[in-house]
């Protein structure tokens, strides 16, 4: 997964350097097409579901490690992905609260 993301990043930089930038409807880093008609709430819901699934996978792998049914590298990868996801969610929450506070401070 990490190597695939790295290869996709390199490909994106190469395409941008060649002037071949993708549009929203084109395929993005994981190979799925973006639906340009998708609403913001659907996008947020999908991101929240992905974050939940990543966190649950980290928890599951940790439980498997406790009983000796998981390889160490699988556990480390799952827990690292969960940690990155948690940091991302907290960062998005902080930015949303900051934006809300800015809106409250705007004069009417």
């Amino acid at each position: 997964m990490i190597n695939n993301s790295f290869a996709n990043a390199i490909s994106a930089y190469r395409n941008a350097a060649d002037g071949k930038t993708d549009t929203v409807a084109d395929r993005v880093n994981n190979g799925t097409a973006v639906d340009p008609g998708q609403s913001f709430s659907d996008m947020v819901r999908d991101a929240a579901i992905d974050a939940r699934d990543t966190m649950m996978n980290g928890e599951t792998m940790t439980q498997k490690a406790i009983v000796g049914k998981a390889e160490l590298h699988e556990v480390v990868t799952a827990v690292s992905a969960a940690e990155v996801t948690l940091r991302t969610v907290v960062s998005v929450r902080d930015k949303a609260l900051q934006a809300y506070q800015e809106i409250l401070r705007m004069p009417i």
Side-chain angles (χ1 to χ4, degrees):
M1 181 175 137
I2 293 173
N3 289 337
N4 191 22
S5 296
F6 186 69
N8 288 336
I10 290 173
S11 177
Y13 281 117
R14 187 174 294 133
N15 287 340
D18 293 340
K20 302 176 194 172
T21 56
D22 294 336
T23 64
V24 172
D26 292 335
R27 296 188 161 263
V28 291
N29 65 12
N30 65 358
T32 59
V34 175
D35 179 12
Q38 183 181 29
S39 70
F40 179 75
S41 63
D42 290 340
M43 186 219 36
V44 171
R45 184 194 68 228
D46 292 346
I49 290 170
D50 288 344
R52 182 200 63 197
D53 292 345
T54 301
M55 299 299 286
M56 289 176 65
N57 183 42
E59 185 68 26
T60 301
M61 292 306 293
T62 302
Q63 291 172 354
K64 285 182 180 180
I66 291 171
V67 295
K69 293 185 178 181
E71 295 291 326
L72 180 61
H73 72 327
E74 293 172 330
V75 176
V76 170
T77 302
V79 170
S80 295
E83 181 181 4
V84 169
T85 299
L86 180 61
R87 287 182 185 193
T88 303
V89 168
V90 169
S91 178
V92 169
R93 180 209 60 193
D94 291 346
K95 288 293 184 182
L97 286 174
Q98 183 182 8
Y100 177 72
Q101 290 170 349
E102 287 291 323
I103 291 170
L104 288 178
R105 283 188 234 133
M106 287 181 180
I108 296 176

